């Protein structure tokens, strides 16, 4: 009997997978046509999408870019055989008013200042957002930019931002002096008090001199000694996306550190500190933002000394910052609660004090965990800047009402709101993409 056994001595070459299981066809079979019910849903969805897109594109592709009024838009559409109220978009309003939607009523000869400010904003954010790709030497510029930014936008004397910087310098020296003898907590309190006293009571005399009752317009102090500055622009001229970005950027930049302090205060063992932080967070989170904006625009002046000129945009920025910081504190507190107890014990075993442990071990991990919530709060805050139109500030939505009140553009709705929505989408989508990039970079997710 012969032996018919056979052992293969070489491997067979790999074959290509079936075309129906890979590529676009395979993806479609698995996700869109995996069963009769999914197939029906796919066909219905594609039909609806086709109908919506075809209608939207027909409306959006309109030869009205050069029109100077709504009536002229309708005449242009009628010439190409497109009749009806929704025959086509009237893009002439965007061509005519896009600068106003961006800058509001800011003086046209000074447009270079907000443009330069926002370009420098990107430079200042680069070492913070992309620390591994940008030289860390730019961090010095990032530290100076918060004082340069308002000076470029509002103008005035250069001594005003320098006086603000001087307050931080004074607070630092006071902290170092008190910390050496009375401890860090007493040093922080003394530093805050010294900086506030300088800003509220002393800096004005240093910059502008002692007021002269006989001559209210008299200039003294450093302004008289070295009158260095640029043309001042009043806040009522601010508007459009420049106003929204200004409020959003400042509130975002200030709410994160304030939220960290509130989160740490809420977990503090000091009863008074904890009670104050809990009371602040719960009160702010229980009040709508629009209520705080009304307080900023109307009621706040009642509690100020007579004759006090408290800038309305500054009031709005303060309220938006306080509102966002309360939500930020809860997001960060969630990140702190998610850390294993061993991280705190490890910091104690290394002999680190409270602030060293928070700076080197606890807070970096808590912030990594909290990245999605932090960015969501930022996006929500930036979109909430449109609420300032209710208190009379001319953000893009407020300007849209002014534009539609013009007889030439009375009746325009979708074109203006669509342009505003597109601009907000660009900023918010960019923030969400950066959040995902940061999560991948820091390996936040589980693998």
């Amino acid at each position: 009997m012969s032996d018919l056994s056979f052992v293969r001595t070489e491997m067979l070459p790999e074959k290509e997978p079936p075309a129906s299981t890979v590529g676009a066809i395979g993806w479609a079979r698995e996700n869109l046509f995996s069963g009769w019910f999914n197939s029906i849903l796919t066909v219905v969805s594609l039909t609806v999408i086709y109908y919506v897109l075809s209608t939207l594109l027909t409306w959006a592709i309109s030869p009205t870019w050069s029109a100077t009024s709504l009536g002229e838009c309708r005449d242009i559409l009628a010439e190409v055989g497109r009749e009806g109220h929704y025959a086509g978009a009237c893009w002439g309003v965007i061509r005519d008013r896009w600068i106003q939607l961006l800058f509001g009523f800011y003086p046209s000869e000074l447009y270079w200042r907000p443009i330069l400010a926002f370009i420098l904003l990107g430079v200042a954010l680069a070492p913070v957002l992309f620390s591994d790709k940008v030289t860390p030497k730019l961090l010095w510029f990032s530290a100076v930019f918060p004082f340069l930014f308002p000076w470029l936008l509002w103008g005035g004397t250069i001594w005003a931002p320098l006086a603000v910087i001087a307050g931080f310098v004074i607070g630092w020296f006071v902290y170092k002096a008190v910390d050496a003898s009375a401890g860090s907590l007493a040093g922080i309190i003394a530093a805050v008090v010294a900086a506030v006293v300088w800003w509220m009571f002393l800096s004005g005399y240093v910059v502008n001199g002692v007021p002269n009752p006989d001559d209210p317009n008299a200039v003294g102090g450093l302004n008289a000694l070295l009158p260095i500055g640029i043309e001042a622009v009043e806040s009522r001229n601010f508007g459009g996306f420049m106003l929204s970005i200004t409020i959003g950027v400042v509130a975002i930049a200030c709410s994160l550190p304030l939220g960290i302090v509130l989160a740490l205060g809420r977990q503090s063992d000091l009863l008074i500190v904890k009670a104050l932080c809990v009371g602040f967070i719960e009160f702010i989170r229980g009040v709508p933002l629009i209520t705080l904006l009304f307080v900023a625009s109307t009621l706040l002046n009642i509690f100020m000394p007579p004759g006090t000129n408290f800038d309305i945009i500054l009031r709005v920025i303060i309220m938006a910052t306080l509102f966002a910081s309360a939500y930020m504190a809860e997001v960060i507190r969630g990140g702190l609660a998610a850390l294993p107890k061993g991280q705190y014990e490890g910091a104690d075993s290394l002999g680190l004090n409270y602030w060293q442990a928070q700076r080197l071990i606890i807070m970096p991990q808590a912030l990594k965990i909290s990245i999605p919530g932090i960015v969501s709060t930022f996006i929500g805050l930036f979109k909430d800047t449109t609420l300032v139109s209710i208190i009379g500030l001319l953000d893009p939505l407020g300007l849209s009402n002014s534009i539609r009140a013009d007889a030439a553009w009375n009746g325009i709705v979708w074109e203006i709101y669509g342009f505003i929505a597109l601009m907000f989408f660009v900023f918010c989508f960019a923030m969400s993409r950066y959040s995902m990039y940061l999560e991948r970079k820091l390996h936040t997710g589980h693998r």
Side-chain angles (χ1 to χ4, degrees), residues 247 251 255 258 280 283-284 287-300 310 312-326 381 388 391:
I247 296 174
S255 63
L258 186 56
F280 174 84
F283 173 77
I284 294 296
V287 177
L289 177 58
I290 188 62
T291 304
L292 298 178
L293 294 179
F294 276 120
V295 170
S297 64
T298 58
L299 298 181
L300 199 59
F310 199 178
I312 179 63
I313 296 180
L314 179 59
R315 284 181 270 163
V316 169
I317 289 175
I318 291 174
M319 287 301 180
T321 301
L322 296 178
F323 182 80
S325 64
L381 174 61
V388 301
I391 60 173

Side-chain angles (χ1 to χ4, degrees), residues 104 137 139 219 236 292 324 383 394:
K137 294 181 180 179
L139 285 173
V219 177
R236 60 185 177 87
L292 298 178
K383 292 188 294 184
L394 296 177

Side-chain angles (χ1 to χ4, degrees), residues 381-434:
L381 174 61
F382 182 66
K383 292 188 294 184
D384 285 343
T385 58
T386 56
L387 294 175
V388 301
S389 61
I390 299 177
I391 60 173
L393 292 180
L394 296 177
D395 76 311
L397 290 182
L399 282 173
S400 69
N401 296 328
S402 302
I403 294 172
R404 290 188 293 112
D406 187 347
W409 304 114
N410 189 11
I412 293 289
V413 178
W414 295 106
E415 294 84 347
I416 299 177
Y417 287 152
F419 177 77
I420 295 172
L422 177 62
M423 295 297 292
F424 271 100
F425 172 79
V426 169
F427 286 105
C428 295
F429 184 75
M431 284 190 278
S432 67
R433 293 299 97 182
Y434 176 77

Side-chain angles (χ1 to χ4, degrees), residues 146-157:
F147 309 98
L148 179 64
F149 182 73
W151 181 67
L152 283 174
L153 294 182
W154 276 272
T157 176

Side-chain angles (χ1 to χ4, degrees), residues 36-92:
W36 66 271
F37 185 69
N38 279 352
S39 299
I40 294 175
L41 286 179
T42 298
V43 173
V44 173
S45 300
L46 290 176
T47 303
V48 173
I49 292 172
Y50 172 77
Y51 174 77
V52 172
L53 287 181
S54 61
T55 304
L56 181 62
L57 290 176
T58 301
W59 173 82
I61 300 175
S62 174
T64 55
W65 186 255
S66 59
T68 58
S69 67
L70 179 59
E72 188 173 343
C73 284
R74 291 173 176 171
D75 293 339
I76 294 174
L77 291 172
E79 291 177 359
V80 295
R82 296 168 66 173
E83 301 285 350
H85 187 66
Y86 297 105
C90 185
W91 296 120

Side-chain angles (χ1 to χ4, degrees), residues 236-253:
R236 60 185 177 87
N237 294 325
F238 282 55
F241 282 98
M242 183 184 70
L243 177 62
S244 294
I245 296 174
T246 300
I247 296 174
V249 166
V250 177
I252 286 172

Side-chain angles (χ1 to χ4, degrees), residues 177-199:
V178 177
D179 178 44
S181 58
S184 60
L185 181 59
I188 292 174
I189 296 174
V192 172
V193 171
V196 171
V197 169
W198 165 258
W199 290 326

Side-chain angles (χ1 to χ4, degrees), residues 73-409:
C73 284
R74 291 173 176 171
D75 293 339
I76 294 174
L77 291 172
E79 291 177 359
V80 295
R82 296 168 66 173
E83 301 285 350
H85 187 66
Y86 297 105
C90 185
W91 296 120
V93 64
I94 305 300
R95 180 197 60 80
D96 186 44
R97 298 299 183 95
W98 71 273
I99 294 181
Q100 187 178 9
L101 286 171
L102 292 181
F103 297 102
F105 297 100
Y106 205 85
S108 58
E109 67 275 9
L110 300 178
Y111 282 164
W112 65 270
R113 280 164 45 179
I115 293 174
L116 177 62
F118 292 118
I119 291 175
L120 294 179
L121 173 63
V123 177
L125 290 176
V128 178
L129 301 181
F130 306 99
S131 57
D132 57 334
K133 299 180 180 179
V134 181
T135 174
K137 294 181 180 179
L138 280 177
L139 285 173
W140 289 104
F141 179 75
S142 302
V144 174
F145 181 76
F147 309 98
L148 179 64
F149 182 73
W151 181 67
L152 283 174
L153 294 182
W154 276 272
T157 176
I158 189 63
W159 299 113
L162 291 179
V164 177
I165 297 175
F168 287 99
V169 175
I170 292 171
W172 170 255
F173 281 108
V174 171
Y175 168 77
K176 297 300 288 186
V178 177
D179 178 44
S181 58
S184 60
L185 181 59
I188 292 174
I189 296 174
V192 172
V193 171
V196 171
V197 169
W198 165 258
W199 290 326
M200 296 293 292
F201 303 105
L202 302 178
S203 62
Y205 297 127
V206 174
V207 174
N208 300 314
V210 179
N212 186 356
D214 299 329
D215 187 6
N217 296 323
V219 177
L222 293 174
N223 274 340
L225 185 63
L226 289 173
I228 303 174
I230 55 179
E231 181 181 347
V233 178
E234 296 182 1
S235 293
R236 60 185 177 87
N237 294 325
F238 282 55
F241 282 98
M242 183 184 70
L243 177 62
S244 294
I245 296 174
T246 300
I247 296 174
V249 166
V250 177
I252 286 172
C254 296
S255 63
L256 180 58
L258 186 56
I260 293 174
V261 172
L262 289 171
L264 294 177
R266 184 160 190 166
Q267 292 190 332
S268 175
D269 295 329
L270 300 175
L271 180 61
I272 296 178
V273 173
K274 183 175 183 179
L276 289 175
C277 293
V278 170
F280 174 84
I281 292 171
E282 297 303 328
F283 173 77
I284 294 296
R285 293 177 67 225
V287 177
L289 177 58
I290 188 62
T291 304
L292 298 178
L293 294 179
F294 276 120
V295 170
S297 64
T298 58
L299 298 181
L300 199 59
N301 278 339
I302 298 175
F303 301 98
M304 302 298 294
T308 302
N309 184 18
F310 199 178
D311 189 87
I312 179 63
I313 296 180
L314 179 59
R315 284 181 270 163
V316 169
I317 289 175
I318 291 174
M319 287 301 180
T321 301
L322 296 178
F323 182 80
S325 64
Y327 285 88
M328 192 68 64
E330 290 299 280
V331 171
I332 295 172
R333 188 169 69 92
L336 292 171
L339 283 182
K341 187 178 180 181
Q343 298 296 320
Y344 296 88
E345 295 173 347
D348 293 337
S349 67
L350 293 174
L352 302 178
N353 61 30
Y354 177 80
W355 295 110
Q356 289 174 333
Q358 292 293 338
R359 181 172 60 89
L360 300 174
I361 297 178
I362 306 301
M363 194 52 64
Q365 297 183 75
L367 292 177
K368 285 169 59 178
I369 296 172
S370 306
I371 285 174
I374 291 174
V375 176
S376 295
T377 304
F378 287 166
I379 292 175
L381 174 61
F382 182 66
K383 292 188 294 184
D384 285 343
T385 58
T386 56
L387 294 175
V388 301
S389 61
I390 299 177
I391 60 173
L393 292 180
L394 296 177
D395 76 311
L397 290 182
L399 282 173
S400 69
N401 296 328
S402 302
I403 294 172
R404 290 188 293 112
D406 187 347
W409 304 114

